């Protein structure tokens, strides 16, 4: 897989190292020469320049890239880089970092963003996921199609306990994609029997998420 990463700060460098270690072809765009020199990219290619510039993105290999990751500390730059990657280079998938949670609403398909990653939102979801039982927790929003990954942990005495997956009338647009029991993934086949404390993971759009909440939470 060919990946272009905008930003060689702590976030971008970490992503580059991980992807390169997994055997992917990685190019990192960084506008600050000192930041580029300090970054440990573990063999990933570095392109000095502004990721909001068409020529710079072209030199970084955006035309043949499978994914662009906009990971700078500037939300405007991340939005523009995502939009250019999608509209000018036809990059198949864009992942953009949201630095200011107030800007979260901007990171959608109109700006070419498939997945918006907000650290405060993720941390909030992880806190809720760790302590909440019996509530639906949104873990990750996917702009493509407007879907979100949501999680529900079966509490004590819940009506799902002892039910087979296939006997539950799940919302059509909220498929059950995974079950985790005692830290291990389980099959979500129709015959799987649900147990207390099972973590259920769904992909649902906004309307289906509401129906799912009514089904599970009431």
């Amino acid at each position: 897989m060919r990946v272009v990463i905008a930003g060689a700060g702590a976030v971008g460098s970490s992503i580059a190292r991980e992807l390169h270690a997994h055997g992917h072809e990685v190019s990192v765009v960084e506008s600050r020469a000192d930041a580029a020199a300090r970054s440990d990219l573990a063999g990933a290619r570095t392109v000095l320049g502004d990721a909001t510039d068409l020529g710079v993105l072209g030199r970084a290999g955006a035309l043949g890239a499978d994914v662009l990751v906009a990971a700078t500390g500037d939300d405007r730059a991340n939005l523009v880089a995502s939009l250019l990657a999608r509209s000018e280079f036809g990059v198949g998938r864009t992942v953009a970092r949201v630095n200011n949670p107030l800007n979260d609403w901007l990171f959608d398909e109109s700006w070419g963003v498939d997945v918006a990653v907000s650290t405060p939102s993720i941390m909030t979801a992880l806190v809720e996921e760790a302590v909440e039982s019996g509530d639906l927790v949104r873990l990750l929003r996917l702009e493509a199609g407007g879907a979100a990954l949501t999680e529900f942990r079966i509490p004590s005495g819940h009506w799902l306990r002892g039910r087979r997956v296939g006997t539950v009338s799940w919302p059509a647009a909220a498929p059950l994609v995974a079950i985790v029991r005692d830290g291990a993934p389980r099959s979500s086949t129709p015959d799987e029997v649900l147990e207390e404390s099972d973590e259920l993971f769904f992909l649902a759009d906004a309307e289906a998420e509401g129906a799912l909440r009514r089904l599970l939470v009431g």
Side-chain angles (χ1 to χ4, degrees):
M1 181 171 65
R2 297 179 65 182
V3 183
V4 175
I5 299 173
V11 174
S13 297
S14 178
I15 296 170
R17 288 193 297 270
E18 288 286 330
L19 290 174
H20 189 268
H22 293 166
H24 301 296
E25 183 180 337
V26 181
S27 296
V28 180
V29 180
E30 176 54 60
S31 60
R32 302 165 298 165
D34 58 335
R38 289 196 308 268
S39 298
D40 175 17
L41 301 178
R45 176 175 171 238
T46 304
V47 176
L48 191 61
D50 189 339
T52 65
D53 183 280
L54 281 173
V56 173
L57 286 176
R59 292 203 309 273
L63 187 58
D66 300 295
V67 181
L68 176 125
V69 180
T72 77
D74 185 334
D75 284 346
R76 290 173 296 182
N78 291 342
L79 286 170
V80 173
S82 298
L83 182 61
L84 292 178
R86 174 58 56 78
S87 62
E88 301 298 326
F89 295 100
V91 175
R93 189 167 184 79
T94 60
V95 180
R97 173 188 178 188
V98 184
N99 295 279
N100 185 343
L102 295 178
N103 295 331
D104 187 70
W105 65 278
L106 288 167
F107 286 72
D108 59 18
E109 287 184 301
S110 64
W111 279 97
V113 177
D114 290 313
V115 180
V117 182
S118 170
T119 300
S121 297
I122 290 174
M123 293 181 71
T124 299
L126 290 174
V127 169
E128 291 180 336
E129 191 273 337
V131 300
E132 293 288 341
S133 182
D135 199 4
L136 199 65
V137 177
R138 179 180 292 185
L139 300 177
L140 180 66
R141 180 165 55 89
L142 308 177
E143 293 303 334
L149 179 66
T150 60
E151 184 257 1
F152 179 81
R153 181 176 298 174
I154 301 176
S156 175
H158 194 272
W159 64 269
L160 278 178
R161 183 176 178 271
R163 294 286 296 269
R164 284 185 169 83
V165 169
T167 67
V168 181
S169 299
W170 310 107
L176 175 62
V177 295
I179 301 170
V180 175
R181 182 177 300 154
D182 298 325
R186 305 277 300 185
S187 169
S188 59
T189 56
D191 289 331
E192 180 68 23
V193 177
L194 299 171
E195 297 182 4
E196 182 181 323
S197 297
D198 279 357
E199 296 172 77
L200 312 182
F201 294 86
F202 303 87
L203 273 178
D205 60 21
E207 183 176 348
E209 189 176 325
L212 192 61
R213 180 174 295 278
R214 289 190 294 274
L215 174 70
L216 299 177
V217 183

